Amino acid sequence: MNSDRKGNLLIVDDEEIILERVAILLEDITDEVFTAINGKEALDIISAERVDCILCDINMPVMNGIELIKEVRRRNIDTPFIFYTGHGSREHMLEVVKYGAFDFLNKPALDNLEDIVTRGLAAGVGKRVEKSQEEHLTEYHQLLEELDLD
Amino acid sequence: MNCKRVLYLGSDREFQKSLTEFYQVRLLNPNNLILSVEEDRFDNFFTLIVEEMPHLVLIDFSNEENLQEDKLATLFRQLHFIKQNSFFKEIAIVGLFVSSQQVREHLALVSSGISYFFVKGTEDLLALLDSCYIGFEQNVPLAEFAKARDLDLPYVAQFTAGVTKIGKSSLILESDLDLSLETSVDISCSLANGEFPQRCEVINRWSVTDNFFFNRYELEIPFCGAWDEPSIYNILEDSYLTWLDFAREEFVFKNGRVLFYVKEKKTLLAIEKLVHQFPHLEIRVDGRESLDLLQLKPRVIFLQLAVSDDEEENLYTFFTKIVSKIKRDVGYRPLIVLFASPSTREALSKVVDYDHLLVSGKVWSEELVTGMFSKLEQKLVDQRVIEHYPLLSEENNVTLALPISITSLTERYITFYAAKNIPMYSLFKLDVPCSLLVTIIPPFDSLPGKESQEHYLGVINGISVEQRALVRRFVNYLIHRRPTEFAWEPEIRESGEEVINEEGDYCLEEANDISRSTTEEMQIGDERLTGRDLEEKLRQRKYKGRSKL
């Protein structure tokens, strides 16, 4: 059953030390963690394994994060992507949101790593689908409360 | 190919024929023209506009059914929406009427965005020529008319304006005219049971290029002292406040501006319907960034992101541009609602560093937007703490007086100096030699300027064939008498002595006028004549005119 699954995570980063550390950090909140050092390797894993969420660096050799998400979306796979970002990566962020980014994580601090990945996995395994109209209206109402109407 | 689109809404077959011939044969390359005639779809006016996006629309009001109160109210609302939203800024709208009386009865349409009022008769070619120039600025050479030139005649033109809010000591007025601070303006309106002062001073001004009118002003209401007698220039404060207290419940409160960026026609049609449903919201639409966002300052901005793959890139760039612009104004923090976004709110808010976002992966739906509008409207109504009470009833139509100096007149055109910066295609009213409308149009040739004043060309409209004959006579009067006032003296109007134009062919034209006029009513001097009396008077005039030759 989907509701029992935590979800499988694919981490894509060309720095092996990051791959290892993040994999250990997220062990408890995932069913399985796959790692890849570039986009090409990641595509092979996505083709072979069930992946519920992808935590991905943007700048990588061979195939970077932008090329990876483009290819994944071209294959009609809507797995949530969480991207690492760093100084000067705003242009890249702008590029990847066009293809559907779930969230961004600031590297190297990785604040809220667990929380963001948990939500990404939940979205990936189907626990959380697109918000209902009622949810949108409730959220809208909350945002309106913050609106300055003077 | 720069294709010209003309839409005629009406069922007058003769006019349709003239229109078709004019555009297809006389004027434009038929390959470069799309001419649509819609007889039965007057009720679907807005749908037609959105579907066809014409450059020029001719609305024929000959059919009285289309002037019924409910139909007119809908049309007025839709015309207002069209004028207010720059999405439709390329559209010129012309109204066709059966009589000048009908024009006078529907003068409210002047402030709705109709640029030209034509009274149908035997001069349909004039309507076609003038509307063609208004729509496409394409002029067709026509025989010269007798022209009273080198005039320097002061007159006061009446421009339409709108009072949008009224308060305890001032009112907010919007107008196309450019008024300076501390200027006294003469206004005429029906507020305060018609006792509102006729002269007020401008104490604040804002430029609102993206609004219905181009400028917004705060005018101070002149109160008289407790022991003074109120006059036409002031009002007793107590009387005014009592009236305001009673009247304000009738005012429609409208303070929530929302902006929809739309590209799809069906979205536009759905939104226009919502305008009617949410009277307290000011719902604006834009294509892509033709409005000045920071000037408009909507409280909520709606944007559908990915309508198609081709547009994705531009739309995201557009979204980031909007947010950058918003962030430039520190105090301004609207809510942005994005539809059809493949990315989440969390991701987008980090990309643009703006968290006042609501992001939906679905395309927009009327139901969802209706729910959002309801919540916003409710919030606005609940927080009704305002200094000025918005006014959106018929009472808000006012006229602003602007002194002008008339420099030339023909039966079709007028040129004049005015100190103000008046936008093209503004309309104003003159009462000499009869009640007529003038639409300001770009001059055919350059007009000589004058220090601190601009020289304008206006096309005369809203008059019948008979009234145009009066204008023709008045032109002759101006040519031969060289008066110092732009005025029509009754005895001259009746004597007929001045009724010869420069070409000397006036009598023949007048004879034609008479044959057309015998069964109708006509204003001659101070007299309103009909039937036999009119025939007799005209016969005398005809005779006098001929004897002059």
Side-chain angles (χ1 to χ4, degrees):
Chain A
M1 290 287 285
N2 273 352
S3 57
D4 300 328
R5 292 186 62 233
K6 293 177 190 167
N8 298 342
L9 177 71
L10 168 61
I11 310 171
V12 194
D13 201 311
D14 60 331
E15 291 180 64
E16 289 195 22
I17 186 143
I18 301 262
L19 279 180
E20 280 171 27
R21 281 194 56 195
V22 173
I24 293 165
L25 279 171
L26 299 176
E27 227 169 32
D28 292 345
I29 61 161
T30 56
D31 288 326
E32 198 166 346
V33 178
F34 305 105
T35 58
I37 55 163
N38 59 47
K40 199 164 179 304
E41 255 190 50
L43 277 179
D44 292 339
I45 294 169
I46 293 165
S47 306
E49 305 288 345
R50 173 172 185 163
V51 174
D52 299 303
C53 181
I54 301 165
L55 181 57
C56 185
D57 198 5
I58 293 183
N59 290 314
M60 290 179 295
V62 186
M63 182 186 242
N64 68 25
I66 301 169
E67 291 164 326
L68 175 63
I69 191 170
K70 266 191 198 174
E71 180 55 26
V72 169
R73 296 295 184 244
R74 196 187 63 76
R75 294 181 187 188
N76 285 325
I77 301 169
D78 60 355
T79 309
F81 266 80
I82 299 164
F83 286 97
Y84 294 130
T85 60
H87 180 68
S89 59
R90 200 174 163 277
E91 287 303 311
H92 292 143
M93 290 167 79
L94 197 55
E95 188 66 23
V96 294
V97 287
K98 292 174 195 164
Y99 303 98
F102 183 80
D103 209 336
F104 293 98
L105 269 168
N106 202 5
K107 202 166 136 182
L110 302 179
D111 292 337
N112 304 319
L113 172 71
E114 283 191 27
D115 177 44
I116 292 173
V117 173
T118 304
R119 285 193 296 106
L121 283 166
V125 296
K127 283 178 185 166
R128 190 180 169 285
V129 290
E130 175 61 33
K131 282 177 191 165
S132 68
Q133 183 162 305
E134 207 41 55
E135 283 175 305
H136 274 314
L137 283 175
T138 308
E139 190 186 348
Y140 173 81
H141 192 67
Q142 284 161 359
L143 287 163
L144 275 187
E145 287 306 308
E146 298 169 29
L147 207 60
D148 180 12
L149 293 183
D150 291 335
Chain B
M1 187 170 63
N2 187 17
C3 196
K4 293 178 166 59
R5 294 169 187 272
V6 179
L7 170 66
Y8 168 70
L9 274 120
S11 51
D12 183 339
R13 294 289 163 86
E14 280 300 306
F15 192 83
Q16 284 174 25
K17 200 175 150 207
S18 310
L19 183 72
T20 310
E21 278 175 10
F22 177 79
Y23 275 102
Q24 292 190 334
V25 182
R26 277 193 59 155
L27 193 70
L28 299 167
N29 175 359
N31 300 324
N32 202 15
L33 172 80
I34 297 175
L35 177 64
S36 316
V37 174
E38 294 288 344
E39 288 192 16
D40 307 319
R41 297 186 62 191
F42 202 91
D43 290 341
N44 298 325
F45 169 70
F46 189 72
T47 310
L48 282 168
I49 295 290
V50 172
E51 277 173 3
E52 307 206 4
M53 285 306 241
H55 298 97
L56 175 66
V57 185
L58 298 110
I59 308 175
D60 197 331
F61 291 95
S62 312
N63 184 349
E64 284 285 335
E65 264 183 40
N66 291 327
L67 288 166
Q68 283 169 2
E69 209 171 309
D70 53 335
K71 284 192 180 183
L72 211 54
T74 307
L75 181 72
F76 193 85
R77 193 190 78 230
Q78 293 173 336
L79 285 169
H80 197 281
F81 189 73
I82 289 167
K83 184 179 174 187
Q84 193 177 42
N85 285 291
S86 58
F87 200 93
F88 306 100
K89 66 182 173 190
E90 302 296 332
I91 302 176
I93 302 176
V94 164
L96 305 170
F97 297 83
V98 289
S99 67
S100 53
Q101 177 67 24
Q102 200 188 37
V103 171
R104 276 197 296 278
E105 284 168 6
H106 298 93
L107 272 182
L109 287 164
V110 170
S111 61
S112 71
I114 290 188
S115 314
Y116 180 85
F117 290 69
F118 184 74
V119 179
K120 284 162 58 180
T122 54
E123 295 181 324
D124 289 352
L125 180 62
L126 277 189
L128 298 170
L129 290 166
D130 289 342
S131 60
C132 179
Y133 190 72
I134 287 167
F136 307 110
E137 292 187 15
Q138 187 163 347
N139 196 24
V140 182
L142 206 71
E144 283 284 310
F145 295 96
K147 184 175 186 178
R149 56 185 88 229
D150 302 323
L151 307 174
D152 182 15
L153 302 176
Y155 197 72
V156 178
Q158 303 290 327
F159 280 81
T160 304
V163 173
T164 54
K165 292 178 179 179
I166 51 172
K168 289 179 178 169
S169 60
S170 66
L171 59 82
I172 305 293
L173 177 134
E174 290 181 7
S175 161
D176 285 339
L177 295 181
D178 189 6
L179 308 169
S180 309
L181 276 178
E182 295 175 15
T183 313
S184 283
V185 289
D186 288 341
I187 65 170
S188 168
C189 67
S190 58
L191 294 172
N193 302 322
E195 288 176 9
F196 197 84
Q198 291 177 16
R199 185 168 292 164
C200 297
E201 190 179 308
V202 178
I203 53 171
N204 237 320
R205 53 161 291 160
W206 307 266
S207 176
V208 282
T209 49
D210 46 24
N211 207 31
F212 190 84
F213 290 107
F214 291 118
N215 298 293
R216 182 175 297 143
Y217 304 98
E218 184 174 6
L219 306 184
E220 188 173 39
I221 301 170
F223 294 119
C224 56
W227 307 107
D228 298 334
E229 274 292 310
S231 73
I232 56 167
Y233 296 119
N234 54 37
I235 187 168
L236 273 169
E237 190 170 3
D238 281 353
S239 318
Y240 173 73
L241 292 179
T242 308
W243 168 79
L244 184 65
D245 215 31
F246 276 107
R248 70 182 176 199
E249 287 307 313
E250 292 168 21
F251 302 153
V252 178
F253 172 70
K254 196 163 184 127
N255 203 25
R257 186 178 288 164
V258 298
L259 174 63
F260 238 104
Y261 285 108
V262 287
K263 280 215 140 175
E264 293 172 306
K265 289 177 176 177
K266 71 171 189 205
T267 313
L268 202 54
L269 289 172
I271 292 167
E272 194 280 325
K273 283 183 196 141
L274 297 179
V275 173
H276 188 49
Q277 213 172 317
F278 295 96
H280 299 299
L281 299 183
E282 188 184 325
I283 301 167
R284 307 290 296 270
V285 291
D286 193 6
R288 291 280 177 259
E289 229 192 358
S290 50
L291 291 173
D292 186 341
L293 190 64
L294 292 185
Q295 199 173 66
L296 194 69
K297 286 196 176 170
R299 297 176 190 284
V300 187
I301 298 166
F302 294 87
L303 173 66
Q304 175 136 307
L305 274 175
V307 179
S308 71
D309 289 347
D310 300 341
E311 278 188 315
E312 270 178 7
E313 193 165 337
N314 287 338
L315 287 167
Y316 271 101
T317 312
F318 180 66
F319 163 64
T320 52
K321 256 168 87 177
I322 291 177
V323 178
S324 312
K325 203 176 263 186
I326 288 167
K327 287 200 288 192
R328 263 184 253 152
D329 190 328
V330 181
Y332 178 50
R333 199 166 158 268
L335 171 59
I336 304 175
V337 180
L338 297 165
F339 296 106
S341 169
S343 288
T344 62
R345 173 181 186 262
E346 290 77 10
L348 286 172
S349 64
K350 283 177 185 170
V351 172
V352 294
D353 191 21
Y354 188 82
D355 61 1
H356 222 49
L357 298 174
L358 183 82
V359 179
S360 171
K362 294 176 183 168
V363 294
W364 89 286
S365 74
E366 202 173 324
E367 201 184 345
L368 180 58
V369 171
T370 303
M372 289 177 169
F373 281 4
S374 297
K375 284 191 186 296
L376 178 62
E377 191 169 65
Q378 190 55 50
K379 184 175 164 70
L380 288 163
V381 172
D382 290 347
Q383 292 192 359
R384 195 173 161 162
V385 185
I386 40 170
E387 276 181 33
H388 286 92
Y389 301 94
L391 192 62
L392 276 173
S393 64
E394 282 183 7
E395 282 179 315
N396 78 339
N397 283 321
V398 298
T399 53
L400 265 184
L402 180 77
I404 60 174
S405 174
I406 293 157
T407 53
S408 77
L409 183 76
T410 73
E411 64 183 72
R412 283 187 70 200
Y413 302 110
I414 183 168
T415 58
F416 61 94
Y417 282 115
K420 313 298 176 190
N421 185 18
I422 311 169
M424 283 298 141
Y425 305 110
S426 300
L427 265 160
F428 64 86
K429 202 167 136 285
L430 290 183
D431 292 318
V432 174
C434 54
S435 176
L436 55 86
L437 296 169
V438 174
T439 306
I440 297 172
I441 56 172
F444 308 129
D445 303 305
S446 66
L447 292 169
K450 204 175 177 182
E451 199 179 335
S452 79
Q453 290 202 314
E454 282 184 50
H455 210 165
Y456 297 93
L457 170 68
V459 58
I460 293 168
N461 59 95
I463 54 173
S464 63
V465 173
E466 292 77 19
Q467 285 170 318
R468 200 172 292 280
L470 282 182
V471 178
R472 197 178 302 140
R473 287 172 204 134
F474 183 55
V475 169
N476 285 303
Y477 163 70
L478 292 175
I479 291 170
H480 296 285
R481 288 290 175 94
R482 308 301 296 176
T484 53
E485 286 181 356
F486 193 74
W488 181 253
E489 293 171 34
E491 65 275 14
I492 293 166
R493 207 189 312 189
E494 284 184 47
S495 75
E497 285 176 8
E498 283 70 29
V499 291
I500 305 167
N501 71 9
E502 287 176 331
E503 288 77 41
D505 60 358
Y506 174 67
C507 290
L508 180 61
E509 288 186 34
E510 189 185 37
N512 290 336
D513 287 345
I514 291 167
S515 62
R516 282 195 297 268
S517 310
T518 46
T519 56
E520 294 175 15
E521 197 179 56
M522 191 168 168
Q523 183 82 30
I524 295 185
D526 285 336
E527 295 176 75
R528 186 147 198 90
L529 302 171
T530 52
R532 192 167 291 217
D533 291 339
L534 175 62
E535 277 185 50
E536 183 54 36
K537 183 68 80 175
L538 290 170
R539 203 169 291 121
Q540 286 169 18
R541 291 160 57 76
K542 185 177 170 186
Y543 172 75
K544 282 180 182 173
R546 277 191 176 154
S547 67
K548 189 76 182 171
L549 285 172

